Amino acid sequence: METKAASNSLVQEIAPQSEAPKHVPTDDLIEWNNRRKAVQFKASHALLILFFLWLFTLHALGIYFFTKGFLLTRLVLDHKSDCASPPIELQQPSPGSYSAGCWYPKTFDKAVVIIIDALRYDFTIPTDDSTHHFHNALVVLHETAVQQPETAFLLPFIADPPTATLQRLKGLTTGTLPVFIDAGSNFGGTAIEEDNLVAQLRDAGKTLVHLGDDTWHSLFPGYFEPNLTHAYDSFNVWDLHTVDDGVTEHLLPLLQSGAKNWDVVFGHYLGVDHAGHRYGPDHIAMNDKLKQMDRILREIIAALDEETLLVVMGDHGMDTKGDHGGESDDEVEAALWMYSKKSIFGHGHNELKKPPRTAKERPVGQIDFVPTMALLLGLPIPFNNLGSPISEAFVGPAKPDWQKLASVNALSAGQIQRYQQAYTAVRGLDKDVFSVANTLWTIAVDMWQGAQKKTAPDAEGFVAFVRYQVENLRVCRSLWTRFDVPSMVYGIIVLGCALAILAFYARATTPFRAEDSPLFIHQIVIYAAFGLLLGLSIGMTGSSAGMLDSSLLGAAGGSIVGFAYTILEIPSGYPLPFPTSTWGWLSFVLTVLQAIGFASNSFTIWEDEISLLFLATFAFMSLAASIRQHTAKDRVLGMIQSSFFLICTRIASLSRLCREEQMPYCRSTYYSSATSSTSASWQLLIPFALAILLPSFIKGYYKGTRSYAGSAVLWIGVGLRISLLASAIYWILDAADDNNWLNVSEDTLRLVKTTIAQLVLGVSLVAGTTYYGWATPCISIETPEERENGDATATQGRKAKHMAVFGYSNMHGSRYFLLVTNWLIAVILLQKPMGGGSIGLLALQILALVEIIDSNDLARSAIGPVVLAMLGNFHFFKTGHQATLSSIQWETAFIALRTIRYPWTPLLVLFNTYGAQIITAVAVPLVVLWKQPPKKKGLLGEVAMAVATFLLYFAVINLATTMWAGWLRRHLMLYRIFSPRFMTAAVALLVVDLIGIFVAIGGFRWNIISVSQVFGWA
C-alpha cells in the first residue's frame, strides 16, 4: 500500500484531483470536467512515454552488452619491424639499409598501386560466348599476362570477409585478418596505428601520394604528400565519374613527366564499385566503366619506367546485384595483377603461365600482398603480418629459383614466428596452442639449412615454410574467433528481463490499467539509482567489466527489480501472461515457432517464404471465423476482408529478392534481372498505378463508415494522390538518368530529382504531420432538412432540433489513419518501384486487418498487433531486402540528397531498409481505434497494450536471434546467416521501439485531443 500511496502523490502533482465546484452553471461544469480529464490524460500519456522509453533503454543496453561480447576482438601489438633486425639470418647477410633493401635486396625503387574498387576476378577474364556486360571490357590485364608472362601475372585475389572497403584496406596494408574490434592501440579510432606497409614506406623516407577514395586518409592521416595528394568523397554511389576522372587527371602527369617528387602512388578508383551499386554488374554502365579502366591502364603501362612496379587489384568483388559486405564467392573473389618492364616474374614453380580461368584455381590471399610488396621494395615485413610472399613475384622468369623462394618465405615465416611468440606472451596463451606450428617451424628451418648446402637447392625448404605459414594462419583464425561470453550473457539476461516486462505489461492485465504507470516509474527510478550507485562502486573496485559497464548493468538491474517489486505490491495483482483464447494461442504459436526456427540456417534462409505461410494461415483462420459470425453483416464483411487480405499477401509475394543460399530454387523479381540493381521498364508503371488506385481504395474504406469527409477529403483525395504522383515522376526521371533517355545534363536531372524528393518528404513528414496535428475529425453533420433539400438553406434562420453525424462510429480510426498515410508517402518514395508497390499493398492489408479485427471483435486480442508485426517482417523481404549486409540499398541515401549529410543520409537508408516495420509500427493504434465511437473509455490503456504486444513480437525475435547467434558462435554459417539475422533483428527492435513511442503513442495523443475537443472527454 505504500507503493500505491507514493504513486498517487506523484499523479496528484501532475494532475490534481480536486472536487467539482458546486452551484455553477451546467456548461461551466462540463467545461471544468473536460479540463480536468484533459490534464489527467496528458499526465498519464507522458508517464506512458517515459515507461516505454525505459523499455527502449533496456533493449539498447541488452544489445550493447551482447554485441560487445559477440563481435570478434584481436589484440593489436605495438611492436614494429626494424630494418636492421631480420627475423632469420640468410646465407648471404641482409643488406640492412633502405637504399639496398632491409631484409632482402630490393627489386624496385618506386611503385604505382592501383585499386579498382570491387574488381571481381571474372571481370578480367575474356569469354568468347558471353553476353554479360562485365565480360570482354577490361582485357588488358589478361592480355599482358598471357602475352608477356615474364612481365605480368594475373591471379584470383581472395578477400577475408567482411568485404567492406575499410576492413579490406586494413588487411591489404597490415597483412592481418579482419575482426570487428581491434583491441589495444587501434581500438579508439579508425586510424591504423599498428605496423603496416604504408608506415614502413614513410619510415623509409618514401614520398607517398594518394589519389581517390578518402577512406585512406581516415586510416593513414598525415602520411601522404599534401601538395600531390587529392582525396574524393567515397560514399556517393550515384557518382560514377568524379573520383575516377580526378585520379586519372592527377596520376598520368606524375608518370608522364618523369617527376622525381614521388616514390609510391596509391590510386583508388571507385567507378566500378559505384556502377555495381547503382546498376548491378550486368549493365551497359559497367561495360563503359570497365572499358575506361582498360584504356587508362594502357596509358599507365605506356608511361611506366623499368624501376617502377605497377600493381592493379580489387579490394573485394561484388554479388550479382553489385553489392558487397558479406562472404559469398562473388564478393570475396577479387583480382590481382602485377606488371614490370624488368621481366622478372615467372611461373616455374607450377608451370602454369596462363591466368586461371576461374577464381577457384591458384588463388592467393589478400594478406599475401603485404610481405610481397615489402620484400620487392626492400622494406621490413610489418610485424603483425600473417601473409606469405606470392610465388610468381620471386620464382624468376626461367627455371624456378628455389633458393629465392625459400629465402623470401623464410623471412616471412620468421616474422610470423616472431609475432606468434610475442602474441603468446602478451595473451598468456598455453604453449600447446602453437605446438603443431612450432614443430613445422623447426622442420622447415632444418630443411632450409640443409638445402643451403646443396649446389642445386630443390623445393623442399620452400614447401616446408609454406606448410608452417598455412598452419599458423589456421591457428590464428581460431584464436581470433574469441568471444566475451560473460558480456554476451549479461546482454541476453537484460533482453530476457525486458521481454518478460513487456509480456506482463502487454498481456497480463485485461484491461490494462494506464493509471498503474506512475507506480512503475516511481519505483523504477528509485531502484535504478540504487543500482547505478552499486554498479559504480563495484566498478571502482577494479571489476573486469569496467566502471562504465558496471554502472550500466547496475542501473538496468536495479530498474528491473523496481518493476518486479511494483508488480508484487499492486493490490489486485497481475496474472501470468498466458493466452486465454484461440486467437491468443495462435499469436503465441506463430511467434514462438518463428523464434525456435532461427536455430536452423535453412529456416533463416527461407524466412521470407515461411512468413508468407504464417500470414496465409491467419487469413484462412480469419475466413473460417468470419463464417461463424452471428450477424450477416459481420459474416460478409469478415469473409470479404479475409479474402482480400490473402489476395494482397499473394500479390506481394511476387516481389522477391533472392539471397545466394536460395539459388537455384528462387528467381529474383525485384530488379530488372538477377544481375541488376535497376528497375525494369514495366516496373515504372507501378508508382503510377499506386497514385491512381491506392487513394481510391482508402477512400472506399472511409466511405464504408461514412468517414470520407472533413480532413480526409483534402489529404487523401488531393495530398496523398499528388504526393504519390510526384514519387512516380521521380522514378521515371531516375530511369531516364540511368538509361540516358533525355537530352539533359546529369547535374540538371539530378537537381530536379532531388528537388522533387525533398518536396515529397517535406509534404509527407512536415506538412502532413502539421496537418494531422490540426486536423478536425473526419465527420460530416447534416440535419433532416438538409438531407431532404440537399443543402443547408432549409435551416437558415432557425435552430435544427435533430442532426446526423456521419463518420461518428469510426471517428478515432478514420482520423488516425491520416498519420499512417503521411509515413506511407515517405516510405513509398524511398523504395524502388517494386518496393513501393509492396508498401501500397501493405497499406491495404492494414485496412483489411482492422476490418477483420472489428468484425470478429478482436480489438483487445494479441492477434492484431502480432499480425501487424508479421506484416512488417514480411514486407521487409518484399521491398528488396534480406538479412544480409549486401542487400542494404545504399543508393537510397541520395534520393533526396546530392551529398552526404548527417544525420539525414543514414536516416534515408534506415527508412528504406525498415520502411515496412515503420509503417506497421505507426499503424498499431488502428487495431484499437478502428470503428470506435468518440467517447470510448480506456483507449489509452488499450493502445498501450497493443503497442506493447507489437513490440513484444520484435523483442521475442531479437532475443531468439541473439541467443541462437551466441549458442551457434562456432557454427560454420555464423557470419553468413546467424550473425546478420541477429543484427537485422536488433536494429529492427530499436527502430520500432522509437517509432512506437514517439509516432504511434505520440500521434494517438493528438488524435484523442482533436476528437475530445469536439465531443468532450470520455
Side-chain angles (χ1 to χ4, degrees):
M1 297 304 295
E2 292 177 1
T3 303
K4 190 74 172 181
S7 63
N8 283 340
S9 64
L10 177 62
V11 177
Q12 288 167 5
E13 291 178 9
I14 302 173
Q17 302 287 325
S18 57
E19 294 183 0
K22 299 178 181 180
H23 309 297
V24 296
T26 303
D27 290 346
D28 292 341
L29 183 61
I30 292 174
E31 183 179 352
W32 174 87
N33 194 45
N34 280 330
R35 284 201 304 267
R36 178 181 61 83
K37 290 181 177 179
V39 172
Q40 287 178 340
F41 170 80
K42 292 175 182 178
S44 297
H45 183 272
L47 292 172
L48 195 63
I49 292 286
L50 290 176
F51 181 80
F52 277 99
L53 281 174
W54 169 64
L55 286 172
F56 166 77
T57 304
L58 288 183
H59 290 152
L61 287 176
I63 292 169
Y64 162 74
F65 280 109
F66 180 84
T67 304
K68 182 173 177 290
F70 180 70
L71 299 184
L72 302 185
T73 62
R74 172 175 66 90
L75 177 66
V76 175
L77 302 183
D78 292 329
H79 302 61
K80 306 286 184 181
S81 293
D82 183 63
C83 183
S85 303
I88 189 171
E89 289 296 337
L90 303 179
Q91 188 176 25
Q92 296 179 348
S94 300
S97 67
Y98 287 115
S99 58
C102 288
W103 298 353
Y104 197 80
K106 70 176 181 180
T107 308
F108 299 99
D109 291 320
K110 307 174 80 172
V112 176
V113 181
I114 302 297
I115 298 94
I116 301 179
D117 208 290
L119 180 63
R120 205 167 74 191
Y121 182 72
D122 61 333
F123 291 1
T124 67
I125 305 300
T127 305
D128 295 335
D129 56 352
S130 175
T131 58
H132 295 303
H133 289 96
F134 52 78
H135 279 150
N136 305 319
L138 177 54
V139 297
V140 65
L141 307 183
H142 187 272
E143 178 184 296
T144 52
V146 171
Q147 296 176 1
Q148 308 168 45
E150 295 82 12
T151 62
F153 64 85
L154 174 64
L155 293 173
F157 200 38
I158 307 303
D160 290 295
T163 48
T165 295
L166 186 142
Q167 292 283 2
R168 291 293 76 246
L169 292 182
K170 284 187 176 183
L172 286 167
T173 55
T174 63
T176 59
L177 299 175
V179 292
F180 286 94
I181 299 174
D182 289 335
S185 62
N186 194 35
F187 185 79
T190 58
I192 298 177
E193 296 181 10
E194 65 180 300
D195 199 8
N196 63 81
L197 192 61
V198 181
Q200 288 290 349
L201 286 167
R202 183 188 61 177
D203 293 344
K206 303 289 186 181
T207 301
L208 308 180
V209 177
H210 167 258
L211 306 170
D213 186 344
D214 59 357
T215 305
W216 287 80
H217 289 264
S218 63
L219 296 176
F220 307 104
Y223 281 57
F224 303 108
E225 172 59 43
N227 295 326
L228 300 176
T229 293
H230 300 273
Y232 300 87
D233 175 28
S234 61
F235 196 67
N236 190 351
V237 296
W238 288 70
D239 186 350
L240 275 59
H241 307 296
T242 300
V243 177
D244 289 5
D245 292 346
V247 173
T248 304
E249 176 188 355
H250 297 99
L251 174 61
L252 291 178
L254 291 176
L255 301 177
Q256 294 168 348
S257 64
K260 304 297 184 181
N261 57 345
W262 63 270
D263 294 299
V264 178
V265 177
F266 296 94
H268 195 145
Y269 287 90
L270 290 173
V272 171
D273 178 69
H274 288 185
H277 283 300
R278 183 172 178 182
Y279 303 105
D282 199 11
H283 190 275
I284 188 63
M286 179 64 76
N287 185 271
D288 293 341
K289 185 53 63 175
L290 290 173
K291 285 181 177 178
Q292 180 191 22
M293 291 296 100
D294 186 88
R295 186 169 57 254
I296 291 170
L297 290 176
R298 292 181 188 276
E299 293 183 45
I300 294 174
I301 292 170
L304 213 64
D305 60 39
E306 288 193 357
E307 297 304 317
T308 303
L309 170 67
L310 175 60
V311 181
V312 177
M313 70 175 83
D315 56 341
H316 50 74
M318 64 175 67
D319 65 13
T320 55
K321 300 185 287 67
D323 298 318
H324 57 87
E327 56 179 324
S328 67
D329 289 347
D330 284 343
E331 292 171 273
V332 302
E333 293 172 351
L336 171 69
W337 179 80
M338 285 192 172
Y339 176 85
S340 167
K341 291 184 176 180
K342 281 187 176 182
S343 299
I344 62 167
F345 300 139
H347 307 270
H349 63 296
N350 56 28
E351 300 298 335
L352 298 173
K353 294 186 177 182
K354 289 187 177 182
R357 293 297 303 170
T358 71
K360 303 295 186 293
E361 306 170 39
R362 294 149 47 204
V364 296
Q366 290 196 351
I367 57 175
D368 297 340
F369 173 74
V370 172
T372 303
M373 284 295 291
L375 293 174
L376 288 175
L377 295 175
L379 303 171
I381 298 173
F383 190 86
N384 296 331
N385 165 73
L386 295 174
S388 306
I390 298 171
S391 298
E392 282 78 358
F394 300 98
V395 69
K399 292 183 179 181
D401 190 340
W402 299 116
Q403 175 71 25
K404 189 173 184 179
L405 278 178
S407 297
V408 294
N409 277 276
L411 288 170
S412 66
Q415 178 53 45
I416 291 172
Q417 177 72 3
R418 179 187 283 175
Y419 168 74
Q420 177 214 104
Q421 293 173 349
Y423 191 86
T424 301
V426 173
R427 276 288 193 189
L429 299 176
D430 193 300
K431 293 182 179 180
D432 292 338
V433 172
F434 287 100
S435 59
V436 176
N438 289 332
T439 300
L440 291 175
W441 167 255
T442 302
I443 293 173
V445 171
D446 291 342
M447 295 183 69
W448 177 62
Q449 290 176 344
Q452 303 295 312
K453 302 174 183 178
K454 297 181 180 179
T455 56
D458 54 28
E460 288 184 353
F462 159 65
V463 172
F465 281 121
V466 169
R467 286 174 180 166
Y468 163 76
Q469 292 172 97
V470 169
E471 170 61 19
N472 194 86
L473 184 59
R474 183 195 66 79
V475 175
C476 287
R477 287 185 190 276
S478 64
L479 275 178
W480 292 346
T481 312
R482 293 170 60 94
F483 302 91
D484 184 353
V485 176
S487 183
M488 293 166 61
V489 171
Y490 297 151
I492 290 173
I493 291 174
V494 172
L495 289 173
C497 291
L499 188 149
I501 291 168
L502 263 177
F504 269 97
Y505 199 81
R507 308 313 313 167
T509 303
T510 307
F512 167 72
R513 297 186 298 268
E515 63 269 19
D516 288 341
S517 294
L519 282 71
F520 296 130
I521 297 296
H522 185 255
Q523 296 299 325
I524 286 169
V525 171
I526 292 175
Y527 279 82
F530 280 117
L532 177 65
L533 293 175
L534 179 62
L536 188 62
S537 61
I538 293 175
M540 294 176 65
T541 61
S543 169
S544 59
M547 188 177 299
L548 174 62
D549 288 354
S550 296
S551 302
L552 293 175
L553 274 175
S559 64
I560 292 168
V561 171
F563 177 87
Y565 176 77
T566 308
I567 289 288
L568 297 176
E569 286 294 306
I570 291 178
S572 58
Y574 271 62
L576 294 176
F578 290 125
T580 57
S581 66
T582 301
W583 290 108
W585 277 108
L586 178 63
S587 307
F588 177 81
V589 169
L590 291 178
T591 305
V592 171
L593 279 178
Q594 194 165 2
I596 295 173
F598 287 121
S600 165
N601 56 344
S602 298
F603 180 97
T604 307
I605 290 169
W606 291 99
E607 184 185 356
D608 51 350
E609 298 300 317
I610 295 169
S611 297
L612 171 63
L613 173 64
F614 285 179
L615 289 173
T617 300
F618 163 76
F620 280 114
M621 287 198 64
S622 65
L623 180 62
S626 298
I627 295 173
R628 300 176 59 188
Q629 291 301 308
H630 297 295
T631 65
K633 179 181 178 182
D634 285 341
R635 279 197 301 273
V636 173
L637 182 62
M639 291 169 62
I640 291 175
Q641 297 302 329
S642 298
S643 301
F644 185 61
F645 182 92
L646 180 60
I647 291 170
C648 289
T649 304
R650 292 300 303 176
I651 295 175
S653 70
L654 299 177
S655 174
R656 183 182 299 113
L657 178 71
C658 304
R659 56 187 295 161
E660 183 190 18
E661 297 86 355
Q662 293 177 331
M663 306 303 290
Y665 308 105
C666 178
R667 186 173 68 88
S668 293
T669 59
Y670 190 76
Y671 297 107
S672 59
S673 70
T675 58
S676 174
S677 292
T678 59
S679 299
S681 298
W682 69 267
Q683 292 174 334
L684 298 176
L685 298 175
I686 295 175
F688 288 98
L690 275 182
I692 296 170
L693 297 177
L694 184 59
S696 299
F697 272 98
I698 296 174
K699 178 180 176 180
Y701 277 95
Y702 271 67
K703 284 192 170 183
T705 57
R706 309 291 293 271
S707 300
Y708 192 67
S711 306
V713 176
L714 177 61
W715 187 245
I716 296 174
V718 181
L720 176 61
R721 197 182 298 275
I722 291 177
S723 298
L724 292 176
L725 182 62
S727 296
I729 293 172
Y730 172 89
W731 286 109
I732 285 288
L733 293 177
D734 181 72
D737 187 13
D738 290 343
N739 298 284
N740 297 318
W741 290 344
L742 302 176
N743 188 22
V744 180
S745 70
E746 186 174 334
D747 288 341
T748 301
L749 202 54
R750 187 174 300 173
L751 176 62
V752 175
K753 284 165 49 184
T754 54
T755 301
I756 291 174
Q758 289 171 2
L759 286 173
V760 172
L761 291 176
V763 167
S764 62
L765 298 180
V766 180
T769 302
T770 304
Y771 183 78
Y772 171 78
W774 292 96
T776 57
C778 304
I779 57 173
S780 60
I781 301 175
E782 294 181 10
T783 64
E785 291 84 354
E786 289 174 347
R787 280 181 286 169
E788 291 174 5
N789 297 299
D791 56 45
T793 59
T795 58
Q796 287 180 357
R798 58 190 178 86
K799 187 176 181 179
K801 295 181 179 180
H802 302 284
M803 65 180 62
V805 181
F806 296 105
Y808 182 88
S809 63
N810 192 25
M811 194 171 302
H812 286 291
S814 60
R815 189 190 183 283
Y816 184 84
F817 191 77
L818 299 179
L819 180 62
V820 179
T821 60
N822 296 344
W823 291 81
L824 271 175
I825 294 169
V827 171
I828 287 174
L829 170 71
L830 296 175
Q831 305 295 331
K832 296 293 179 73
M834 201 74 170
S838 172
I839 296 298
L841 288 170
L842 172 60
L844 298 180
Q845 286 176 289
I846 290 171
L847 289 170
L849 174 64
V850 294
E851 289 285 2
I852 294 169
I853 296 300
D854 174 71
S855 63
N856 288 275
D857 193 22
L858 298 172
R860 284 166 48 194
S861 170
I863 193 64
V866 168
V867 172
L868 266 180
M870 291 169 57
L871 281 172
N873 191 47
F874 175 69
H875 284 276
F876 167 81
F877 298 105
K878 302 301 115 182
T879 51
H881 300 98
Q882 287 281 352
T884 59
L885 293 176
S886 59
S887 71
I888 298 175
Q889 299 169 25
W890 298 107
E891 65 272 19
T892 56
F894 301 98
I895 287 179
L897 299 171
R898 301 190 68 185
T899 58
I900 300 173
R901 293 182 183 177
Y902 294 100
W904 311 115
T905 296
L907 281 177
L908 291 176
V909 177
L910 195 72
F911 271 47
N912 168 271
T913 306
Y914 294 100
Q917 288 95 330
I918 288 172
I919 294 297
T920 52
V922 176
V924 173
L926 277 177
V927 173
V928 173
L929 299 178
W930 194 253
K931 293 188 177 180
Q932 294 293 347
K935 303 196 76 170
K936 171 75 179 293
K937 292 183 180 295
L939 282 179
L940 178 61
E942 292 188 17
V943 167
M945 285 181 65
V947 172
T949 304
F950 179 83
L951 299 180
L952 180 61
Y953 172 89
F954 285 97
V956 170
I957 300 304
N958 175 63
L959 179 62
T961 55
T962 300
M963 292 176 64
W964 292 128
W967 181 259
L968 300 171
R969 60 187 181 275
R970 301 292 180 184
H971 195 282
L972 180 64
M973 292 292 179
L974 175 64
Y975 292 105
R976 193 164 187 162
I977 295 175
F978 298 110
S979 179
R981 189 60 185 90
F982 147 68
M983 290 187 285
T984 302
V987 177
L989 176 61
L990 298 179
V991 168
V992 297
D993 271 346
L994 292 175
I995 296 296
I997 294 169
F998 293 108
V999 182
I1001 299 178
F1004 169 73
R1005 180 181 186 273
W1006 288 350
N1007 205 75
I1008 285 289
I1009 291 174
S1010 175
V1011 172
S1012 300
Q1013 285 174 345
V1014 177
F1015 290 92
W1017 289 84

